[in-house]
Amino acid sequence: MALWERTEALDELSGLGNGRIALVAGEAGIGKTSLVRAFAGAVRDPVWLGACDPLVTPRALGPWHDIARRAGGALAAALDAQRPPLPALLDALEHPGRRPVIVIEDLHWADAASLDLLVLLARRIERLRARLVLTYRDDETPGHPLHATLAAFPRDVVRRVPLPRLSRACVAEQAGRAGRDPATVYELTGGNPLLVTEALSEEPAGAVRHLILTRIERLPAPARDLAELAAVMQRLDGADDAEWALVDRCVAAGVLVAADGGAGFRHELLRRAVEDALPPGRRRALHRRAVERLEARPGVDPARLAHHARHCEEPELLRRYCLIAAESAATQGAHREAAAHYRAVVDLDAGVEALEAYAFQAYLAGLPAEALDARRRAAGRRRAAGDWENAGANERWISRLAWWSGDTALARRAVEDAVATLSQGPPGRELAMALSTRAQLHMLAYEVEPAVAWGTRAAELAERLGDRETAVHAGINVATARLVRGEPGAAAELVRLHERADAAGLADHAARALVNRAATDLWTGDDLAATLAAIELAFAYADARDLGGYRQYLLGVRAAVRVEAGEWEAALADAEESLAYPSRGGVGPLPALVARGRVQSARGEPEAGATLDTALREALATEELQRIGPVAIARAEHFLHLGEAGRAAAEARRGLELAESVGHRRYTRELAFALLRATGAPSDVDWRAAADGFARAGRHLARVHALGLGDAAAAGEALAALDALGAGRAAAWLRSDLRRRGVSGVPRGPRPATAANAAGLTGRQAEVLRLLADGRSNAEIAAALTLSEKTVQHHVSAILAKLSASSRTQAAAAARRLGLV
């Protein structure tokens, strides 16, 4: 494809420095691949190219395997041995004689493990002698996991290279050279470069489908057959001499292009048009041929075979290759992909073992509801077969998954059933694990004494059996319960158990030890910086091993810390990433809901009530103080902001009664403070001491609330802090409360123009932001302000940078904060 109107974008890539990331975004056919290939052809440094393929279930770490074939060395060895690839990748990029460019194309088709590795690399790229160029479609749905990946990149290393459609002038110039009517060509193509290229190479016809199918119809039958096989296989490799002669015919006809020892379509739009035009029977037959072709080649990624097997409608073939692909993905730590492969075959009588493996991978991927359903089915099959030990093991898993799903009542019933079932036979490993799971539920409910008792019993049985895994599991429960009680050395014991589990390859338990330490510290410790460090350690471990459930939960916990620290934009970014996960209920997304709801409420955003209603519903189902307490605090704040002091007090009392019943000092203190604010009795608290204590702990927001109970000077400081956070509704309530208390000299809030100015926005940028927040597209903004769409695009990029926003949604929230809407 010709590089029309891409000089600026090419210059942007050519000027990319070490430790920087270029995001090349645009719709299908906009020229992303052509631009990147032109850049790669001109650069002198080595280019490591990886590609993502449009498979039903993506290849596990697919683009990184491509990159490893070019980089070689330790990275290739790590991937071949199915070890975590990050250390080897960093070693390769720190080589003093290299300045490689890593290019990953079509990131919107990437598997979850590849995206996770990309985030880990992006957070370290600044210190490396390397550059990273990523292409993706920016017209994907808002919930696409790629958005969460990009939001996790450090903003100061990212360079966005958007690719707009071609201008009317450019299309007119090219159409004139080809002797075509400019208006007709633009109407047919809309300025999409691929469609323009195709329209100018054929009689003016219409859509790309007609153009490519017309070319295929002109081919002789053997060449047409090969082109259709290439459409189904996405890329034709391993052609023999006879086939290469046919490939040459296809290339000459403008149907295929030859590259890297194989052949394929110039663009996915063309390939898909051909595949979609195939009759169902013909498509199935071609997928069957693809399986036979790939079976004969060593080293083929099982995901490719599974992809074609799914379309053959042959159950035995599907069962065989999906199970192989699932096991391969699982050993590479690609748990979401492994679960997807198992999901395709569990209804095909693949065996109860496959059902249990599916449940385990879904659990690790953070899909507790899916895993829970699979475990229930497996338990039923085991009971029907009279296999009481494995039935009890599944009941124990049902307990764990019911807890993750937010149903603590079911979790308690299931673990009691598991203990009863497994106690029928001689004491064994599964009974020890069931006892430990019961200890875990007591620990999570802050029931310290029974947690220690059941956990100790489980650990003793496990030690007698030589069962290292259950001993670690039980030890983590006991150590966490002791940490809740404030015992010295409990946190260090969790770290030791983490190291023991990690050394034994027990990633789930190793992650849980760090997660428990971090989450418990959030509401028992008095040093927010230390809490954040513990969260980062746990997050890095879970992130590197694709443990989606822990990752989702920790993003929310980190968001909660950042709300307290006054880092609200970062908190919202974490919350959005957490809530983008497939698991929308239960424990995993709950901290993110609370963090988002607190910010929404303080800023006066209309979604706050619905967010906190959802949080309350999920928290009450858990029956646990550590879920209900934060929601009670957030809802008390919310109703206070709305001027509904009675409802605020009721929310605070709900949580306070539970905190007092389990004897949790920190929650009791926090909820009593929330109740005090709601009942309007500031004289009952030493606000100076409280503010000083919160300041020492790094708890900026709590300090602001304490200052708000003080004299005029303290209240003025609190108002300035709230205004800086964009907490307009919280500041308005505080001003009203100060007037009620008779405090004089209350400063006014910032005017919208002043707030926009303080954010560094020009008058025109403020206008663009106002329309953006109204949901207008770039084209609609351009029409409203009589600007070109390209100018609007530049304004939007500048606005995102000035507001430190990673998306239009965050920019819209900032517009509300600045009072522009």
Side-chain angles (χ1 to χ4, degrees):
M1 187 188 303
L3 287 179
W4 298 318
E5 296 189 324
R6 296 295 183 252
T7 301
E8 185 178 335
L10 193 56
D11 289 345
E12 187 79 24
L13 290 183
S14 299
L16 193 68
N18 282 348
R20 294 294 181 265
I21 303 171
L23 303 180
V24 181
E27 66 186 65
I30 205 69
K32 300 181 292 295
T33 295
S34 296
L35 174 70
V36 169
R37 296 297 168 87
F39 162 67
V43 73
R44 295 181 179 178
D45 300 303
V47 176
W48 298 346
L49 177 65
C52 307
D53 303 310
L55 304 179
V56 175
T57 299
R59 295 184 296 148
L61 295 169
W64 298 104
H65 280 283
D66 294 344
I67 289 165
R69 280 193 288 274
R70 289 168 171 80
L75 178 59
L79 286 169
D80 288 343
Q82 298 177 342
R83 298 193 304 270
L86 181 62
L89 177 60
L90 293 178
D91 287 344
L93 296 178
E94 288 171 344
H95 191 284
R98 288 174 173 168
R99 188 173 175 261
V101 180
I102 295 179
V103 177
I104 299 181
E105 292 196 84
D106 296 320
L107 205 58
H108 48 277
W109 289 324
D111 64 292
S114 290
L115 293 178
D116 290 341
L117 180 55
L118 193 57
V119 171
L120 295 174
L121 176 60
R123 290 174 177 165
R124 296 158 175 81
I125 192 78
E126 198 166 12
R127 63 179 174 81
L128 302 173
R129 287 177 50 82
R131 290 162 286 172
L132 187 57
V133 179
L134 310 173
T135 77
Y136 63 95
R137 294 182 188 171
D138 59 1
D139 54 356
E140 295 293 330
T141 57
H144 195 286
L146 175 59
H147 296 296
T149 298
L150 299 179
F153 287 5
R155 293 190 183 94
D156 55 350
V157 304
V158 172
R159 302 292 180 266
R160 297 182 182 274
V161 187
L163 297 181
R165 292 188 171 199
L166 302 177
S167 67
R168 284 184 178 273
C170 178
V171 174
E173 180 183 354
Q174 303 309 322
R177 290 178 178 176
R180 306 292 165 75
D181 176 55
T184 300
V185 173
Y186 192 85
E187 182 181 349
L188 290 173
T189 66
N192 181 289
L194 174 69
L195 300 184
V196 171
T197 302
E198 294 300 314
L200 296 180
S201 63
E202 286 286 333
E203 290 299 318
V208 65
R209 173 187 170 90
H210 176 86
L211 295 168
I212 190 64
L213 293 182
T214 298
R215 291 178 182 177
I216 284 186
E217 288 170 4
R218 294 172 180 168
L219 291 169
R224 184 166 60 248
D225 178 73
L226 193 70
E228 290 174 347
L229 179 61
V232 165
M233 292 191 69
Q234 301 170 20
R235 176 178 172 78
L236 195 64
D237 295 312
D240 57 26
D241 291 342
E243 285 181 330
W244 268 116
L246 297 175
V247 168
D248 290 341
R249 293 291 299 270
C250 293
V251 171
V255 173
L256 298 180
V257 292
D260 298 330
F265 286 81
R266 183 188 307 165
H267 195 277
E268 175 65 12
L269 285 174
L270 304 175
R271 186 200 69 79
R272 190 166 293 176
V274 176
E275 184 180 29
D276 291 346
L278 293 170
R282 171 69 173 155
R283 190 181 302 135
R284 286 195 298 272
L286 288 169
H287 278 292
R288 188 68 179 85
R289 280 177 58 189
V291 170
E292 293 168 355
R293 191 181 185 99
L294 292 172
E295 282 177 327
R297 292 173 51 196
V300 172
D301 193 308
R304 291 191 68 188
L305 283 158
H307 170 81
H308 294 297
R310 288 192 186 201
H311 291 88
C312 292
E313 298 186 13
E314 297 181 28
E316 178 55 37
L317 204 63
L318 178 64
R319 183 165 45 241
R320 181 195 315 161
Y321 285 116
C322 279
L323 289 176
I324 293 172
E327 292 167 6
S328 173
T331 56
Q332 295 180 71
H335 304 299
R336 277 165 277 191
E337 284 64 42
H341 287 303
Y342 280 123
R343 189 184 304 122
V345 297
V346 291
D347 291 326
L348 297 177
D349 193 27
V352 68
E353 293 83 2
L355 194 57
E356 291 165 343
Y358 166 44
F360 185 59
Q361 292 302 314
Y363 159 70
L364 293 177
L367 302 168
E370 215 171 293
L372 177 59
D373 178 67
R375 284 291 177 184
R376 282 172 153 165
R377 292 163 62 187
R381 292 192 193 181
R382 293 293 192 183
R383 282 194 294 270
D387 184 351
W388 294 105
E389 183 174 11
N390 281 310
N394 278 294
E395 287 166 349
R396 190 266 301 177
W397 267 111
I398 288 169
S399 174
R400 175 64 172 159
L401 294 164
W403 176 84
W404 264 114
S405 300
D407 191 344
T408 297
L410 172 59
R412 289 179 180 271
R413 291 196 304 272
V415 77
E416 289 171 2
D417 290 344
V419 171
T421 298
L422 293 165
S423 296
Q424 296 176 27
R429 177 190 180 282
E430 292 300 342
L431 175 60
M433 188 62 88
L435 297 173
S436 184
T437 300
R438 182 159 185 177
Q440 186 175 14
L441 288 175
H442 286 300
M443 173 269 291
L444 290 163
Y446 291 146
E447 297 164 356
V448 175
E449 298 307 328
V452 171
W454 283 97
T456 301
R457 180 180 167 188
E460 290 172 350
L461 175 57
E463 294 292 353
R464 287 201 305 274
L465 297 169
D467 178 7
R468 179 170 51 181
E469 180 179 2
T470 304
V472 167
H473 188 276
I476 292 169
N477 296 328
V478 171
T480 306
R482 288 173 172 161
L483 181 61
V484 168
R485 194 160 54 189
E487 290 187 20
E493 175 66 6
L494 282 172
V495 173
R496 188 189 70 78
L497 288 164
H498 156 75
E499 292 169 348
R500 181 180 175 189
D502 183 54
L506 304 172
D508 178 39
H509 304 321
R512 190 170 70 91
L514 295 181
V515 171
N516 285 10
R517 173 174 171 253
T520 304
D521 193 57
L522 177 60
W523 284 102
T524 58
D526 289 315
D527 185 345
L528 212 60
T531 300
L532 184 58
I535 292 170
E536 295 290 4
L537 181 64
F539 184 87
Y541 187 86
D543 197 27
R545 288 153 184 83
D546 192 30
L547 300 176
Y550 290 128
R551 193 178 187 279
Q552 179 186 31
Y553 177 70
L554 286 166
L555 282 165
V557 174
R558 190 169 68 184
V561 170
R562 286 173 163 172
V563 169
E564 278 291 324
E567 301 169 0
W568 284 11
E569 298 304 331
L572 287 174
D574 278 344
E576 286 180 9
E577 186 175 353
S578 174
L579 296 172
Y581 270 69
S583 179
R584 302 298 170 88
V587 172
L590 187 50
L593 283 170
V594 176
R596 174 192 270 180
R598 291 186 77 184
V599 174
Q600 288 175 333
S601 176
R603 289 180 169 175
E605 296 177 15
E607 303 88 353
T611 300
L612 292 174
D613 285 347
T614 302
L616 178 64
R617 183 175 64 251
E618 299 293 343
L620 290 178
T622 70
E623 304 177 4
E624 294 175 359
L625 173 63
Q626 61 176 314
R627 322 295 164 202
I628 296 171
V631 174
I633 291 169
R635 288 175 65 84
E637 284 180 358
H638 176 61
F639 289 117
L640 202 61
H641 297 155
L642 295 177
E644 300 180 35
R647 293 186 70 182
E651 294 289 343
R653 286 193 185 96
R654 185 210 310 267
L656 182 58
E657 289 171 2
L658 181 58
E660 290 176 335
S661 71
V662 300
H664 195 285
R665 293 191 297 274
R666 177 69 175 274
Y667 274 119
T668 299
R669 205 164 58 237
E670 297 287 334
L671 287 158
F673 182 67
L675 180 60
L676 182 145
R677 292 183 72 217
T679 54
S683 59
D684 293 347
V685 67
D686 184 345
W687 60 266
R688 286 189 179 87
D692 289 345
F694 290 137
R696 286 192 297 273
R699 299 184 59 199
H700 176 73
L701 185 58
R703 177 176 179 271
V704 168
H705 290 332
L707 291 173
L709 299 177
D711 56 23
E717 186 178 348
L719 285 169
L722 291 173
D723 290 338
L725 290 170
R729 180 183 281 164
W733 172 82
L734 180 54
R735 287 185 171 88
S736 174
D737 186 61
L738 291 169
R739 286 192 292 271
R740 180 188 63 80
R741 286 159 43 196
V743 178
S744 59
V746 178
R748 293 177 57 185
R751 295 179 179 179
T754 305
N757 213 2
L761 300 180
T762 66
R764 178 63 85 186
Q765 288 168 351
E767 289 179 310
V768 171
L769 179 57
R770 185 181 297 110
L771 294 171
L772 181 153
D774 196 36
R776 308 279 190 95
S777 67
N778 283 1
E780 290 169 331
I781 295 172
L785 299 179
T786 320
L787 300 170
S788 73
E789 193 170 340
K790 190 169 186 179
T791 298
V792 171
Q793 193 170 41
H794 286 313
H795 280 315
V796 170
S797 296
I799 289 166
L800 293 177
K802 288 181 178 181
L803 297 178
S804 296
S806 61
S807 66
R808 294 170 77 96
T809 301
Q810 286 189 15
R816 289 188 285 272
R817 168 168 56 85
L818 296 171
L820 295 174
V821 294

